[in-house]
Amino acid sequence: MTTEINTIQLTTAQAIIRWLSNQFIEIDGQELRVCGGGFGIFGHGNVTCLGEALHTVQDELPLYRGQNEQSMGFAAAGYAKQWLRQRFMFCTASAGPGTANLLTAAGLAHANRLPMLMLCGDTFLTRLPDPVLQQMENFNDPTFGVNDAFKPVVRYWDRICHPAQIIQSLPNALATMLDPADCGPAFLGLPQDVQGWTYDYPATFFEKRVHRIRRQTPDIAEISDAVAALSNASRPMIIAGGGVQYSKAAKELTVFAEKHQIPVVETIAGRANMLATHPLNIGPVGVTGSDSANAIAEKADVILAVGTRLQDFTTGSWTAFAKDAQFVSINAARHDAGKHMSLPVVGDAKLSLAALDATLTMTAPKTWLESAQQARTKWDAYVADNVSHGNRPNSYAQAIGVVNELCEPRDRVVAAAGGLPAEVTANWRTLDIGTVDVEFGFSCMGYEIAGAWGARIAQAEQEPDQDTITFCGDGSYMMLNSDIYSSVLSQKKLIVLVLDNGGFAVINKLQNNTGNDSFNNLLEDCPTIPQAFGVDFVAHASAMGATAEKVANPTELGMAFQRAKSSDKTYVIVMDVDPYEGWTTEGHTWWEVGTPHVTDNESVREKHLEIEATRAKQRRGV
């Protein structure tokens, strides 16, 4: 007996889009499309077939017109982060340079473990018209092209060589993007001819499906090991990473810390896991951290790391902790849970903290917590002075303090590259949970505005009355600013603070701190610039449709910020800041950078010896 299968004849492109539009996710009891839409720039490699398919689902999968493929990827990352990795956007680009422009964005999404789907044009499978426009010919391997460059920077990669392949490839790509352990970008190469080929797809393939994010239960034996280590701790500490938020475990973290009276420090990605005023929040840790967090980090004997990949800015290149400190790492990813001889607890942060709490009876010594809180009180006083303004040059910290004072608790703050991530991490006082996005996994110049645009699209779906505020240096602004225009076109208001210090000032600072003379970072120090001058950022932003103004000092910045809050469209505020004075000088651990072992420059040689002398504190992988 044979049973006929109901089929639908569609092109490959039509089938991809129909399938995407029928995938949903349950979030807090509400069903939403797991794909929130996409960002696209059309070219010959994606307009005729994929463009035709997308035209039919404009309401279900809104397509935002990008200005630059790289910035589209940044926007998709900002969107996914705002949605705590529960929803994603796709990016579509044409074959050749359009797709190649997405490489950096793929790296950002990979480093930050963020979901993003790339639907990119590829050369003709038949090869009959080869070589085609924008094709990179590999003389020894005709299957090897530009799209293969994405393999190291994505979690899932496939080239669709037949329409039937998407029946397996699309679910696999989605499963990767929704997996807490393997989460990251997925790439589908779509040859231009295959996009238009038809296939009789099973109708059931397009039926509505509701997905859920997996919560992995921790192993009982690993929980027992963790309990034993914590029970013997005299000076326990918790490092709270970005995974706490992705697991929606901020409440469980707080309850656990309060019950056992364990001080908590935050990573850069974990900023806004706890309110600044919580008595157990001892501050940010690491290279861009606080004196308070780093003071207890170097004394802690057992460190519970929750949802963090322990990158070098968190660990001070592994000098921030005692060499004999025992790590216990809760992480959904096995790769992260076992770093530096950690006792691994492979599992969901929310479930793992609950499992630990159920059997752990210890309470940290009162004297240990009191010493941590005293250190935090001192740090708070330093920050209060650092962000104050008066008879001092304008600084990043002062601008941060002004915004921190005037913004609403649920407004979202974005920063990414240069000196601002460090300054925001150190000086921002968290007003509400999950409101800070400091992209420091890839620390990508240009994310500031593009990522904020994506975050604002997501924020408008959740909290439309709040604002997305981005701190952007003049260097990052010049690198990628076109999504000011995008935000105005799409009516997704941003508040953009452009803090102009005349070039790449933070790298100039690093240059000077390693004994080098200023060279090729600040505009005034570039030998190939006969007469340096600054950009009129107000005129530039205004030309893209934003409201823009320049202010002279933090007092004027505060008044301008209030005008920006009242505005109904993107508002750009420009303020000059000093490239040398006003940096946050406290709270830093050692950070390993390569310095010349041989040089004729005496100041470079002295700095090399000074830096290397601190290496004695570094843990060597254990």
Side-chain angles (χ1 to χ4, degrees):
M1 180 179 177
T2 60
T3 303
E4 289 190 10
I5 299 176
N6 185 25
T7 61
I8 303 173
Q9 188 178 74
L10 297 168
T11 68
T12 304
Q14 291 165 355
I16 290 171
I17 299 308
R18 181 173 293 200
W19 185 86
L20 269 181
S21 64
N22 283 293
Q23 305 308 304
F24 289 75
I25 189 165
E26 184 180 299
I27 301 175
D28 298 329
Q30 182 182 10
E31 289 184 4
L32 301 168
R33 281 189 174 80
V34 67
C35 180
F39 300 97
I41 294 178
F42 286 139
H44 69 276
N46 63 344
V47 68
T48 56
C49 295
L50 195 66
E52 185 268 346
L54 286 167
H55 184 265
T56 65
V57 292
Q58 297 176 58
D59 293 334
E60 296 89 343
L61 298 176
L63 184 67
Y64 290 88
R65 180 190 178 280
Q67 318 303 326
N68 177 291
E69 290 87 358
Q70 179 174 303
S71 74
M72 292 190 328
F74 290 167
Y79 180 93
K81 190 177 284 192
Q82 173 76 18
W83 271 108
L84 299 177
R85 305 195 308 191
Q86 298 166 106
R87 301 183 74 202
F88 67 89
M89 298 282 267
F90 67 81
C91 294
T92 179
S94 187
T99 287
N101 279 346
L102 277 167
L103 265 170
T104 302
L108 180 143
H110 189 289
N112 287 281
R113 319 288 171 85
L114 294 170
M116 174 174 68
L117 177 62
M118 286 166 281
L119 302 173
C120 295
D122 209 330
T123 53
F124 288 85
L125 192 69
T126 64
R127 301 187 196 152
L128 290 175
D130 282 9
V132 299
L133 177 67
Q134 299 176 327
Q135 179 179 347
M136 292 292 251
E137 294 181 89
N138 187 307
F139 302 153
N140 302 311
D141 182 356
T143 68
F144 191 63
V146 168
N147 289 0
D148 294 271
F150 283 83
K151 290 179 179 178
V153 291
V154 298
R155 293 286 191 171
Y156 184 86
W157 187 97
D158 197 5
R159 175 176 283 122
I160 305 303
C161 298
H162 188 280
Q165 289 178 347
I166 68 167
I167 297 174
Q168 281 77 38
S169 192
L170 282 173
N172 287 339
L174 181 57
T176 300
M177 289 188 287
L178 294 183
D179 190 306
D182 291 337
C183 184
F187 180 94
L188 295 183
L190 304 176
Q192 295 165 61
D193 46 4
V194 177
Q195 287 184 45
W197 291 355
T198 61
Y199 184 73
D200 293 335
Y201 291 96
T204 54
F205 181 60
F206 304 106
E207 291 178 354
K208 177 182 176 180
R209 182 173 179 185
V210 180
H211 302 266
R212 295 174 182 82
I213 303 293
R214 179 182 301 109
R215 288 193 180 276
Q216 182 174 332
T217 303
D219 183 84
I220 295 175
E222 292 184 347
I223 289 293
S224 296
D225 289 343
V227 168
L230 286 165
S231 296
N232 292 322
S234 299
R235 298 177 302 280
M237 182 184 82
I238 297 171
I239 300 178
V244 172
Q245 293 180 34
Y246 293 140
S247 178
K248 295 187 176 182
K251 180 179 179 181
E252 285 73 14
L253 171 76
T254 301
V255 168
F256 180 87
E258 288 175 344
K259 179 177 177 181
H260 304 286
Q261 290 295 284
I262 302 176
V264 178
V265 302
E266 294 179 327
T267 70
I268 297 172
R271 292 293 272 115
N273 279 324
M274 298 182 81
L275 299 183
T277 53
H278 195 286
L280 293 176
N281 184 351
I282 308 303
V285 69
V287 177
T288 60
S290 58
D291 286 342
S292 49
N294 291 329
I296 68 167
E298 65 181 10
K299 298 174 183 176
D301 57 353
V302 178
I303 299 162
L304 179 61
V306 186
T308 171
R309 61 195 185 96
L310 294 172
Q311 61 125 302
D312 65 339
F313 264 65
T314 297
T315 66
S317 299
W318 287 101
T319 63
F321 314 106
K323 289 185 177 179
D324 60 351
Q326 175 63 63
F327 277 79
V328 178
S329 291
I330 295 174
N331 208 290
R334 172 195 57 78
H335 175 82
D336 293 319
K339 288 176 179 172
H340 278 246
M341 301 295 288
S342 290
L343 291 176
V345 177
V346 180
D348 172 73
K350 183 189 285 277
L351 298 182
S352 298
L353 285 169
L356 272 180
D357 194 34
T359 54
L360 184 66
T361 58
M362 64 82 70
T363 301
K366 185 177 180 181
T367 53
W368 168 242
L369 178 58
E370 287 176 345
S371 67
Q373 290 171 330
Q374 289 168 3
R376 177 61 196 250
T377 298
K378 292 180 181 178
W379 177 252
D380 286 344
Y382 171 79
V383 170
D385 180 66
N386 202 34
V387 301
S388 66
H389 51 87
N391 298 320
R392 295 188 294 160
N394 295 344
S395 70
Y396 283 165
Q398 293 169 13
I400 290 164
V402 169
V403 174
N404 209 168
E405 181 70 25
L406 296 174
C407 73
E408 297 177 22
R410 291 301 305 167
D411 286 343
R412 187 165 186 82
V413 175
V414 178
L420 278 164
E423 297 294 315
V424 170
T425 299
N427 294 289
W428 187 262
R429 294 183 58 78
T430 298
L431 304 176
D432 209 339
I433 303 301
T435 53
V436 178
D437 174 8
V438 177
E439 191 288 293
F440 221 60
F442 217 46
S443 186
C444 225
M445 294 178 71
Y447 177 86
E448 293 90 341
I449 295 172
W453 180 43
R456 176 56 194 156
I457 292 171
Q459 185 188 48
E461 296 169 338
Q462 302 165 290
E463 300 173 305
D465 295 331
Q466 305 305 134
D467 279 308
T468 295
I469 304 156
T470 184
F471 292 98
C472 186
D474 55 300
S476 283
Y477 183 99
M478 293 300 294
M479 185 77 71
L480 200 57
N481 54 61
S482 56
D483 285 318
I484 289 177
Y485 182 50
S486 301
S487 71
V488 176
L489 285 174
S490 60
Q491 297 184 3
K492 297 295 184 288
K493 173 198 169 185
L494 302 176
I495 298 178
V496 181
L497 279 80
V498 181
L499 302 175
D500 184 357
N501 53 26
F504 304 139
V506 73
I507 297 302
N508 180 72
K509 182 164 75 83
L510 175 62
Q511 199 170 45
N512 294 163
N513 288 347
T514 53
N516 288 282
D517 296 328
S518 295
F519 169 60
N520 206 54
N521 283 311
L522 298 179
L523 295 174
E524 62 186 16
D525 298 321
C526 295
T528 54
I529 300 176
Q531 187 172 354
F533 65 93
V535 172
D536 187 341
F537 293 110
V538 171
H540 188 268
S542 298
M544 289 189 284
T547 301
E549 62 174 296
K550 185 169 185 177
V551 299
N553 52 55
T555 299
E556 291 185 9
L557 173 62
M559 293 185 287
F561 184 77
Q562 290 174 317
R563 289 190 288 273
K565 288 288 291 179
S566 299
S567 177
D568 60 358
K569 73 172 182 176
T570 293
Y571 206 106
V572 177
I573 307 171
V574 182
M575 185 175 78
D576 292 340
V577 296
D578 194 280
Y580 298 104
E581 300 296 327
W583 295 103
T584 298
T585 56
E586 303 295 328
H588 304 321
T589 61
W590 187 74
W591 181 44
E592 182 166 2
V593 292
T595 54
H597 286 230
V598 177
T599 177
D600 293 330
N601 188 319
E602 183 62 22
S603 64
V604 172
R605 188 184 72 82
E606 290 177 359
K607 282 294 183 180
H608 168 72
L609 295 174
E610 178 185 322
I611 291 168
E612 288 301 308
T614 316
R615 188 182 295 278
K617 297 177 63 178
Q618 192 172 41
R619 290 166 66 107
R620 299 188 179 184
V622 295

